[in-house]
């Protein structure tokens, strides 16, 4: 079982490292982290991760995975990356993403006609690509499996691993990772957060979200045209 | 506010990348990832992370952080690392760890007389160093803040960030990371797991845990002697 995880500049590293940790607990899972070259990829906060291989040398994915993060804007208009994703998706058993990684899949046309999720702030942008946004932590629609924002990657990966390797092994992985979360606050999603907190977070991100939506509109127009 | 995060070969990368993600959401927080050189550090599952600086060039830590993982065994007997930790701890406002990183702090003598936690499988090893093991997800005892196994690093970092920057900013970070976890199974810790599952996980790790305990006994003897 080969998972190909895309890494890219200005990604949100936990979108990738959360699922990486889960998948690495299954001996049958072979993991490649791929990008254009093998120079370090610097995430949105400066963490530097080295890809294990480049796009051209990537093995065929059984699971294709795309993380999210600010760098996703550029990827939505990067024909080399979109072509890579389309080509890999055509042979993959699962086409997957976490956070705004789903907007990259969508820009490649890979979520058109599918139910999917995304970081809560960007979820409606999936409409632009003919996908159906679903406000759940993990969404499975046929062979598309998507996770919501950042930390949902751990839930996403455990759900997918349970599907592939069975509940028993997934439970063992969860226990080994001591995944019995106890968030200090209850408002980790807008469903549970104080409206005033959500308002503050939305306001702080407004400028960047406008850029993201503009990029999504351009990508959607290109996909349609 | 400077956090110095130790990285090392065969660490468990999520122990570090979970807290990194949380801390990176606070603009006042400066993060350094330190190891002996600046060559890539390969985690226990092959993820390669590049340190941002070396031990000798590390700035003084306000928060000193040590992740866990299989490589922790070697660290418990690595005088260069133990000396670095002792020196950094002497000026730090918080001395912290996740998972078996607490055994490294303990081997440096930094948990003697403190309540602390650790990955559930290794928690009793803290007794060897005169620390008091506490089976909780995050344990705060004066300026020592420790997290339990692997995924607890996210809870650990949010709890610590709330203490430093206040609940309001920590809540915003939690919402931005969409940390509203929904594990697929309930048995993420031995408290909630089926005994037969815990038994399976313990049996699978028995050989390595014996090595870990032997290393802890050697380190504790050295510390005492």
């Amino acid at each position: 079982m080969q998972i190909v995880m895309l890494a890219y500049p200005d990604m949100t590293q936990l979108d990738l490292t959360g699922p990486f940790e889960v998948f690495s607990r299954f001996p049958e899972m072979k993991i490649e982290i791929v990008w254009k070259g093998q120079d370090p990829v610097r995430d949105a906060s400066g963490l530097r991760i080295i890809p294990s291989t480049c796009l051209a040398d990537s093995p065929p994915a059984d699971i294709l995975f795309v993380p999210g993060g600010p760098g996703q804007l550029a990827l939505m208009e990067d024909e080399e990356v979109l072509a890579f994703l389309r080509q890999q998706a055509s042979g993959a058993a699962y086409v997957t993403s976490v956070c705004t990684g789903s907007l990259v899949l969508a820009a490649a046309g890979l979520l058109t006609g599918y139910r999917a999720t995304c970081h809560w702030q960007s979820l409606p942008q999936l409409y632009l690509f003919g996908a159906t946004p679903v406000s759940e932590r993990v969404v499975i629609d046929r062979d598309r499996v998507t996770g919501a924002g950042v930390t949902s990657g751990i839930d996403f990966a455990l759900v997918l691993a349970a599907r592939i390797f069975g509940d028993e092994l997934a439970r063992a992985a969860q226990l080994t990772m001591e995944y019995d979360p106890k968030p200090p606050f209850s408002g980790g999603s807008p469903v549970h957060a104080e409206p005033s907190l959500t308002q503050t977070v939305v306001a702080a991100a407004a400028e960047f979200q406008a850029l993201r939506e503009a990029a999504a509109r351009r990508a959607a127009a290109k996909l349609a045209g």
Side-chain angles (χ1 to χ4, degrees), chain A:
Chain A
M1 180 64 62
Q2 177 72 59
I3 181 164
V4 172
M5 308 182 89
L6 189 71
Y8 55 88
D10 288 324
M11 67 177 177
T12 295
Q13 59 84 19
L14 189 58
D15 290 11
L16 183 146
T17 53
F20 180 97
E21 191 65 44
V22 174
F23 291 130
S24 73
R25 306 280 160 162
F26 297 86
E28 300 88 339
M29 195 74 94
K30 286 186 286 185
I31 307 179
E32 294 284 356
I33 296 179
V34 305
W35 181 234
K36 291 180 180 180
Q38 288 189 53
D39 288 338
V41 169
R42 193 184 168 88
D43 108 305
S45 300
L47 188 79
R48 290 177 298 167
I49 291 175
I50 305 184
S52 57
T53 192
C54 62
L55 300 184
D57 293 341
S58 173
D62 296 308
I63 305 171
L64 177 64
F65 173 79
V66 182
Q72 150 265 329
L73 272 72
L75 254 59
M76 283 194 298
E77 301 182 85
D78 184 323
E79 286 304 324
E80 180 186 357
V81 170
L82 298 180
F84 171 80
L85 295 175
R86 286 185 195 113
Q87 187 268 319
Q88 283 281 357
S90 68
Y94 296 98
V95 176
T96 73
S97 62
V98 162
C99 199
T100 50
S102 61
L103 295 174
V104 181
L105 290 182
L110 295 169
L111 291 182
T112 307
Y114 288 87
R115 299 165 73 247
T117 192
C118 187
H119 189 286
W120 60 270
Q121 286 203 65
S122 305
L123 188 59
Q125 292 179 28
L126 286 171
Y127 282 124
L128 298 168
F129 301 94
T132 303
V134 179
S135 179
E136 284 171 16
R137 198 146 173 92
V138 181
V139 173
I140 304 179
D141 183 358
R142 288 157 283 169
D143 61 351
R144 266 54 170 177
V145 186
T146 51
V150 193
T151 54
S152 70
I154 298 171
D155 298 323
F156 149 83
L158 282 168
V159 166
L160 182 55
R163 211 171 170 96
I164 295 170
F165 298 113
D167 284 4
E168 192 64 20
L169 289 178
R171 277 179 195 275
Q174 185 178 328
L175 180 56
T176 305
M177 295 172 63
E178 201 162 348
Y179 188 47
D180 187 15
K182 197 175 165 191
F185 307 108
S186 62
S189 78
V191 182
H192 302 120
E194 289 279 319
S196 63
L197 177 66
T198 308
Q199 197 174 15
T200 302
V201 168
V202 166
E207 198 174 338
F208 187 74
Q209 281 300 108
L211 293 176
R212 177 172 263 150
E213 184 165 341
R217 287 188 185 278
R218 288 196 302 274
K222 181 137 194 201
L223 183 66

